Amino acid sequence: MSTNTLTRMDLNEAVFREVGLSRNESADLVETVLQKISDALVEGESVKVSSFGTFSIRDKSARIGRNPKTGEEVPILPRRVMTFRPSHLMKDRVEQGNKA
């Protein structure tokens, strides 16, 4: 498995090369897209990127957890978590990459 990570800077560079905008315009475009996705998730909306997947927010209720080291029971507070469900096309592309 590769240890490379796709960063914001990599996305900016890819937009710069592929779209032909200036580096500043490319960075602004990437930032705007990421901000729109983030804002929608904060508002509790789902974000569906066709052929990629769906980001959504789940509300998790309070529950009792256990400290694995001590075995002590501890309360886990209610919280909101973000989930990602990849599209079938993305799952297929990842699976094909595993065979290469």
Side-chain angles (χ1 to χ4, degrees), residues 49-61:
V49 180
S50 184
S51 301
F52 185 74
T54 303
F55 297 92
S56 57
I57 298 296
R58 269 186 52 202
D59 289 319
K60 297 187 99 179
S61 58

Side-chain angles (χ1 to χ4, degrees), residues 83-96:
T83 61
F84 174 72
R85 182 160 185 213
S87 72
H88 292 291
L89 291 172
M90 180 57 67
K91 286 181 183 180
D92 292 344
R93 286 189 68 193
V94 170
E95 180 63 28
Q96 291 302 317

Side-chain angles (χ1 to χ4, degrees), residues 27-81:
D28 289 344
L29 177 62
V30 170
E31 289 301 318
T32 300
V33 169
L34 294 175
Q35 188 64 49
K36 291 286 185 186
I37 291 171
S38 177
D39 290 347
L41 291 168
V42 167
E43 294 296 320
E45 299 175 31
S46 291
V47 176
K48 182 176 182 179
V49 180
S50 184
S51 301
F52 185 74
T54 303
F55 297 92
S56 57
I57 298 296
R58 269 186 52 202
D59 289 319
K60 297 187 99 179
S61 58
R63 63 187 176 92
I64 299 296
R66 189 176 307 276
N67 181 331
K69 222 174 199 179
T70 65
E72 176 186 357
E73 289 187 351
V74 292
I76 298 174
L77 300 175
R79 64 202 185 282
R80 295 174 79 192
V81 296

Side-chain angles (χ1 to χ4, degrees), residues 6-46:
L6 180 68
T7 65
R8 205 174 273 219
M9 196 66 143
D10 296 332
L11 291 174
N12 294 344
E13 188 66 23
V15 171
F16 168 71
R17 287 193 180 134
E18 297 290 324
V19 179
L21 297 173
S22 73
R23 287 194 194 283
N24 286 339
E25 291 171 328
S26 298
D28 289 344
L29 177 62
V30 170
E31 289 301 318
T32 300
V33 169
L34 294 175
Q35 188 64 49
K36 291 286 185 186
I37 291 171
S38 177
D39 290 347
L41 291 168
V42 167
E43 294 296 320
E45 299 175 31
S46 291

